[in-house]
Amino acid sequence: MRRPPTALLVALAGLIVLPMVTDPIQLRRYAGLIVLSLGVLGVVVATGHAGLISLGHGVFVGLGAFSMATFLDDFSLPFLVALPMSFLFTSMVGWLLGLPALRIKGIYLALVTLGMAIIFPALSKQFPNQTGGVSGRAVDARFDPPPWTGLSADQSVLWRYGFCILVCGLMFWMTNNVLKGRMGRAMQAVRDDETSAAGFGIHLPRVKAGAFGLSAGLAGVSGALQVILFPFVSHEQFTVFLSFRLYAAALLGGVATMIGAIYGVLALVLIPAVNNGLNLLENDVLVFGIGLILLTFVSPDGIAGLLSRATGSDNTKSFWRNVKGRYSG
Amino acid sequence: MALLLQRLFDGLFNSAIYASLAISLVFIYRATGLLNFAQGEMATFSAYVGFLLLRPTEVILAGSGLIGILPGLPWPVPLAIVGAVLFGMAAGAGTERLLIRPLEGRPLLSVVNVSIGLLITINALSTELWTTSPRSFPSPFPSANGDFFAVGDARLRFESIGVWITLLVVLGLLGLFLHRSKAGLAFRAITANRESAQLVGVNVGRTLLIGWAVAAGLGALAASLVADAVLLEPNMMIRLLIYSFAAATIGGLDSPGGAVVGALIVGLTQTLVPGYVPFIGTEISLLPPLVAMLIVLLVKPTGLFGSRRVERV
């Protein structure tokens, strides 16, 4: 059996240790960052595997959160139904928004998704019944531990944390399977060369819109999980900087591999943790910006590439050598 | 009627600002095929530098020796804007030399990453240095409450006229630069065909450096001029950038004239549409230009005035 990658082991160990060393409030805050890993994974799927540069995944996180709140409170759906519904809803929106991506390529797609991310908070305020408008919306439904767990109500953070980790793990596993399978190979073929991919009989619209739909759905689940952790949604949580953070984290980790997504999540969690601990910067997004620029020069395939080269095990399959210029179109 | 006229005037003012930024985007796109997402943030930062020259005591860096180096601070408004533009040009040139040129021949994603990284970094830096509290950056033109021509019941503000005249003068200078100077000729040669230009001895690196400097200077000018109307704060240009991108896309990303027409379209729809379509309040006045941009990209990616590119496989 192949040894599981070190990054995965480190991440898993961190997940187990975290509840032991933090108080409930901190735990909840970290959990909020950890569920964003699905947003990072969304960027990895869209940008790294399908070659669709997306600067707007914060939009899908927001859509997931708003739809979760609506499904829970307005339709009184139970959590275990509302969660997959949010996934389906955001996937569908992502799929629809992916349709223009069939014609818009490369840098123009980056531009359009950036525009989406900028307008999303203002646009969401226009639907006050679903989003709570300017002031945001408190969610009444609570995800409390069922009696059989033996957890008391004040331990509910632990229960929610565990549930979120479980869902994230499930989504990572599912995505890994998709990426390794027929769909994943088709996506990479499209990324590397659309024309020859079409020549091999790959249905371009299906693959591109499908990839965008899947990646949007992943980001949507991370928004929905945030509603489980914090029963409050507001447009202020989903500004363009959330999208930047997700994009930067994915690129920092290494956008071409699943391992990269895990390193990206580590960056997403550790950078704010260190910054808050040492009280360095007003806003840690600066680190993401500088990191993004530096890594582009030092190691375009992110931390994953950096480490695999350092240890000599080149398992990132140097994506960058393969795609030379293929993002232009 | 007066309302319509007023909206037209307001739209024209906005258009002038979008046009300056759109032209600076087009300028870089034409030469390098790159959309500089950091253009707006570079401009904001330069405007802050102008603000520093104007109100040295009001910002954090005050007293850090700068007042001793530069004579006669605080400077009058026009001089401070010139300072901002010069700073912007230097910063633009530095960016090209240090961050963009080393990426030649690298995949598009690398270049996108650097310009997004720059956007994030400069924005965070502005926040870190100057906080998010909005500051009023006075206009170089008379902009008191009474400074307007009354056209019927509508007000045509001196400020708008001043901004338009500045824009036209700058466009004229830009035209002169492109068509009457050696560097401009080299720039046009690179735009037309980079490899051939290189073969006949055009110094591509230096010319692009100048191009970036000019574009960044234009951006700095736009930011300094708009800062009176929207108040100077770190996020001021993020929305403006999308309007300008929309303007540039609608006009055709490689056509400076198209950028001005696109800016007029965007600026006017921005003030006219929310007035007549209730759903689109001023809050999401970004929606119409964004949708227009999307439609242009889908239907006619070259825009209204752009040239078609032949793609070979």
Side-chain angles (χ1 to χ4, degrees):
Chain A
M1 199 189 119
R2 225 163 49 112
R3 199 173 65 89
T6 326
L8 190 61
L9 295 177
V10 172
L12 284 179
L15 289 178
I16 295 170
V17 173
L18 194 62
M20 302 176 191
V21 296
T22 50
D23 62 50
I25 294 172
Q26 282 176 320
L27 182 64
R28 190 165 77 155
R29 210 171 54 216
Y30 281 115
L33 289 171
I34 290 167
V35 295
L36 277 184
S37 65
L38 291 177
V40 176
L41 187 62
V43 176
V44 165
V45 169
T47 304
H49 287 82
L52 306 163
I53 301 178
S54 168
L55 299 174
H57 261 62
V59 172
F60 301 119
V61 177
L63 277 175
F66 288 138
S67 62
M68 183 76 166
T70 309
F71 289 141
L72 285 176
D73 277 10
D74 298 349
F75 297 99
S76 311
L77 293 174
F79 278 91
L80 291 182
V81 179
L83 189 62
M85 292 273 287
S86 311
F87 173 75
L88 287 179
F89 175 73
T90 31
S91 302
M92 226 160 63
V93 176
W95 185 80
L96 283 175
L97 290 174
L99 290 180
L102 304 176
R103 276 184 67 99
I104 302 172
K105 287 182 206 163
I107 203 157
Y108 303 109
L109 188 63
L111 177 57
V112 172
T113 50
L114 177 66
M116 256 166 43
I118 290 176
I119 196 179
F120 180 71
L123 192 59
S124 71
K125 277 189 261 179
Q126 303 295 112
F127 299 92
N129 291 336
Q130 285 74 36
T131 66
V134 182
S135 52
R137 170 178 191 173
V139 179
D140 294 330
R142 289 286 181 283
F143 191 65
D144 284 326
W148 55 262
T149 54
L151 291 166
S152 63
D154 17 311
Q155 284 170 305
S156 53
V157 174
L158 200 62
W159 163 253
R160 290 174 194 156
Y161 171 78
F163 179 78
C164 289
I165 301 294
L166 186 74
V167 173
C168 288
L170 223 68
M171 299 307 275
F172 265 80
W173 176 72
M174 183 194 86
T175 310
N176 193 32
N177 286 347
V178 171
L179 291 182
K180 273 188 184 159
R182 192 186 167 83
M183 176 71 179
R185 284 195 305 275
M187 276 159 56
Q188 287 173 27
V190 171
R191 174 194 73 196
D192 290 343
D193 193 331
E194 270 186 24
T195 316
S196 59
F200 280 112
I202 290 173
H203 193 266
L204 291 184
R206 195 180 299 153
V207 171
K208 281 180 160 187
F212 214 69
L214 171 66
S215 86
L218 289 168
V221 171
S222 90
L225 289 179
Q226 283 195 331
V227 176
I228 289 183
L229 292 165
F230 313 88
F232 178 75
V233 282
S234 152
H235 63 96
E236 282 170 11
Q237 299 163 310
F238 311 112
T239 61
V240 66
F241 287 97
L242 174 63
S243 298
F244 285 156
R245 217 172 263 264
L246 294 176
Y247 182 81
L251 269 291
L252 281 180
V255 78
T257 52
M258 292 289 291
I259 303 298
I262 294 171
Y263 283 119
V265 178
L266 287 177
L268 201 63
V269 177
L270 289 180
I271 291 175
V274 172
N275 185 47
N276 288 339
L278 302 179
N279 225 334
L280 295 174
L281 295 167
E282 197 91 349
N283 190 346
D284 54 53
V285 77
L286 181 64
V287 184
F288 287 93
I290 293 177
L292 193 55
I293 298 175
L294 275 184
L295 271 179
T296 306
F297 289 99
V298 180
S299 165
D301 32 13
I303 301 172
L306 204 65
L307 289 181
S308 76
R309 246 171 287 135
T311 56
S313 63
D314 198 3
N315 57 12
T316 52
K317 275 206 298 191
S318 195
F319 150 80
W320 290 87
R321 247 168 282 145
N322 295 336
V323 277
K324 258 190 216 144
R326 287 299 181 199
Y327 275 89
S328 51
Chain B
M1 186 58 207
L3 200 58
L4 174 69
L5 214 55
Q6 190 60 55
R7 283 177 181 146
L8 274 176
F9 290 157
D10 292 345
L12 281 174
F13 175 74
N14 293 340
S15 319
I17 299 297
Y18 304 154
S20 337
L21 203 58
I23 290 170
S24 72
L25 293 168
V26 164
F27 218 66
I28 289 179
Y29 181 83
R30 251 156 77 99
T32 59
L34 163 69
L35 298 178
N36 182 13
F37 292 111
Q39 196 85 60
E41 302 311 296
M42 288 161 70
T44 311
F45 198 90
S46 308
Y48 265 113
V49 171
F51 187 75
L52 197 70
L53 300 171
L54 205 62
R55 299 268 164 76
T57 49
E58 224 182 274
V59 278
I60 298 163
L61 284 180
S64 59
L66 190 84
I67 299 178
I69 301 166
L70 292 166
L73 287 179
W75 289 0
V77 180
L79 208 58
I81 291 182
V82 170
V85 170
L86 287 179
F87 173 85
M89 292 179 81
T95 308
E96 198 280 336
R97 187 68 195 86
L98 295 176
L99 295 177
I100 305 297
R101 204 182 298 178
L103 289 179
E104 221 182 281
R106 292 273 289 274
L108 178 70
L109 190 59
S110 291
V111 192
V112 172
N113 287 348
V114 166
S115 78
I116 289 293
L118 262 179
L119 192 170
I120 302 174
T121 307
I122 299 176
N123 183 286
L125 215 57
S126 299
T127 315
E128 205 69 37
L129 287 176
W130 292 302
T131 75
T132 48
S133 54
R135 299 169 195 280
S136 61
F137 188 120
S139 168
F141 310 106
S143 62
N145 280 336
D147 290 332
F148 58 84
F149 291 121
V151 184
D153 279 339
R155 298 171 171 193
L156 180 55
R157 299 176 57 79
F158 292 163
E159 199 183 349
S160 310
I161 302 171
V163 169
W164 265 101
I165 291 174
T166 315
L167 176 70
L168 291 177
V169 169
V170 168
L171 277 184
L173 287 176
L174 207 59
L176 278 181
F177 163 73
L178 281 177
H179 293 272
R180 292 280 179 276
S181 78
K182 196 152 184 200
L185 182 67
F187 192 80
R188 283 186 294 136
I190 292 174
T191 318
N193 188 333
R194 190 168 170 155
E195 267 121 48
S196 306
Q198 215 157 6
L199 279 176
V200 295
V202 170
N203 186 340
V204 173
R206 204 183 58 201
T207 312
L208 288 184
L209 191 86
I210 296 173
W212 272 76
V214 170
L218 248 171
L221 181 69
S224 309
L225 289 180
V226 79
D228 176 47
V230 299
L231 294 183
L232 184 59
E233 51 107 6
N235 291 338
M236 136 183 131
M237 292 301 263
I238 288 187
R239 293 172 67 97
L240 255 67
L241 185 74
I242 288 298
Y243 286 121
S244 309
F245 265 126
T249 317
I250 291 169
L253 268 167
D254 56 356
S255 152
V260 176
V261 177
L264 278 171
I265 296 176
V266 169
L268 291 177
T269 45
Q270 184 205 356
T271 50
L272 290 179
V273 171
Y276 298 104
V277 185
F279 173 77
I280 298 172
T282 42
E283 275 269 14
I284 52 168
S285 55
L286 203 54
L287 193 62
L290 206 61
V291 171
M293 177 170 89
L294 196 64
I295 292 172
V296 167
L297 282 176
L298 286 175
V299 179
K300 193 171 183 301
T302 51
L304 296 177
F305 303 96
S307 52
R308 280 181 80 161
R309 291 197 176 193
V310 180
E311 269 181 51
R312 295 191 180 86
V313 179

